[in-house]
Amino acid sequence: MTALSQETVSATRTAAGIPFILKKAFLSALVALLLFSLMIGIRTEAGPDGQLTYWTRFGELASIVGIVFGGSILIELLRQWIGPVGAEKLVPPAVHRGMSILGNYLAPALLIFTLLVPVIFYNQRYILDLAILVLTYVMLGWGLNVVVGLAGLLDLGYVAFYAVGAYSYALLATNFGWSFWICLPLAGILAAMWGVMLGFPVLRLRGDYLAIVTLAFGEIIRLVIINWQSLTGGPNGVTGIPRPTLFGIPLDNSDDGLAAKLGIEYSPTHRIVFLFYLILALALLTNWVTIRLRRLPIGRAWEALREDEVACRALGINTTTTKLTAFATGALFGGFAGAFFATRQGFISPESFTFQESALVLAIVVLGGMGSQLGVALAALAMIGGFELFRGLEIYRMLVFGWAMVLIMIWRPRGLIGHRAPTVYLKKAQAISSDLVKEGHG
Amino acid sequence: MDYFTQQLINGLVLGSIYGLIAIGYTMVYGIVGMINFAHGDIFMIGGFIALITFLILVSFGLTAVPVILLVVLLASMAITALYGWTVERIAYRPLRHSFRLAPMLSAIGMSFVLTNYSQVAQGARVKPIPPLITGGYTLHESADGFVIQLSNIQILVVTTTIVLLLIFNRLVLRTRLGRDMRACEQDQTMAALLGVNVDRTISMTFVIGAALAAVAGLMYLLYYGQVDFNMGFVAGIKAFTAAVLGGIGSLPGAVLGGLAIGLIETFWSAYFSVEYKDVAAFSILIIVLIFMPTGLLGRPEVEKV
């Protein structure tokens, strides 16, 4: 923080008293009144003959302005009672130490719990489906973490690789009838190739420019999928994607199905449980590969690239291959996740691969704390689980999601897990504060 | 040839609208160094405010077109500018000194908020209005009956863009506020030490950008006769492409880039395929950034180590 912003902080702290609070709340309410006067106060709708009509909703307008007025007073009071909100002040040091001890056991405990989820919730289809969804995003988050968290390359088009993987699997499986276990690596490799193809042209770009180019790339892939009707089925998508098999044994109630072979009664839950362990295995593979790669020269090169590209080049690190491998590795896992998504849904369409998905995965990575594996998993759980709470309120869902993104960034710009273990250390591992990690201009 | 000329006119009109939005991107990027992802949605909000103001005025029995236009223009500029101010205040100011990814994500979040707020408040359906400005000129009629038309609304869109560009370019180069803006662009800490109110200047940048996006929203409403809650995202990316193409930080560059994108998109639709026009626009963005990262009128970026 610079001196400039500290000055403004102290200026707001000294001003106090009821007239000040009322004045501030009154101003907020006035701004809200002006902002919402037309958008909320007046509702337009096209009538049957195409003519626009409107009616007024002054009641709603008044209640929103009232909420802003009351909320403003409340926030100002809280701010004066608690003072400037800092993590150190809210959480006592003893609790903090306890948390960090707990943190050492959190990852194994979480893993054991995840392994047991199908046993505990065997008959609760909804929870199993949700768990599969969460794990898919955990995997996507870990995949993108390689690109954004480790290599510091800001990728806003990650969903493109997810789409490439999903469509590769869907098209190969429906057109050639190849099994899931052949298509899965192919989908990953194809996605990785697209990763390299995207990587080449953007090697020279940095920061925000890189972000906007990857965003454009994601949109191009989506638009091509929509418009190349003869191959991809256009907006109708691909249907009848085969379900995965247990190395050739289908999981259905036919005579050569798994249930019949094992001599147990068939249940549709078997397939769900199988899918659950499949995505868990894929996600753990992603995690394992990432952790291993971090210790290898290539992983160190990624992190060096994130910290300082110029120094990296001066040390003789080949930034071209470093960036390309980061893109390819991230894309590979995106492709795997896409193939899994296609086989789970049995149907894919371009609607599943919008910019919103990319933003969601990026939000998971940043909220988790860039580069932290555990953080990404927790963030995926929080985001997807939280998102699920609003399923009933379909139109308010994205509104709440957007606000969550804004508020979380203001509250914890460095993510949930602000500390991470170092890759290399002398004698004793010391946690590194994420404030020390540079954002990566590469 | 006639077909070409007609497409040229159409392309220039579309490009003017992109140019107006692009000015907002270029100013914010120049000063804060951040892509304001919510700017496309501010443009959409501007369109909605213009639509609603228009409806109210018409229902009160106002028929004089210049009066309606003026009131709608002022109302949408004022209210949309307030939106720009609020967005900066809520989502960007607390993150001014944070690490770089944070404001970008909060900007994306803000963009989702604005899109869905407008859907919740006004519904998901397309909102049409009857044409307000009609008539035009027939420039040329060829033997086989193809007519080149220049409608009044097209003239209005292009002139408005040029006039606003001249006004705002003058504002940036000749006024106290413009000087402060350029100072902040150079070095915020130094500008603050020399007595520039950095917070206020950045707020004003968002306000001006939003007001111009509101004009673009009004022009879009008049030209296409409709608005919907979803139109901000794609228009926003194209306008950003325009800003980059013109050289980010340069106001005339933004309008020039907007015209270029509008022309390319229109000609691509006319001669190749309409379906792939957005693909063409995004491909241009990628190509420009690779071969000409500073754009047409941009200054070369100095790498700070």
Side-chain angles (χ1 to χ4, degrees), chain A residues 35 39 42-43 54 57 413 440, chain B residues 59 83 99-100 117 121-122 128:
Chain A
L35 283 181
M39 288 296 279
I42 292 177
R43 174 74 156 87
Y54 77 90
R57 291 186 299 195
Chain B
S59 76
Y83 270 93
F99 90 129
R100 206 173 41 86
Y117 153 71
Q122 296 294 330

Side-chain angles (χ1 to χ4, degrees), chain A residues 200-205 209 213, chain B residues 244-245 282-296 300:
Chain A
F200 259 116
V202 301
L203 280 173
R204 289 169 50 195
L205 301 174
Y209 282 160
V213 165
Chain B
V244 170
L245 181 61
F282 296 146
S283 307
I284 290 161
L285 172 69
I286 297 180
I287 293 166
V288 168
L289 277 176
I290 292 164
F291 293 106
M292 229 177 13
T294 52
L296 297 171

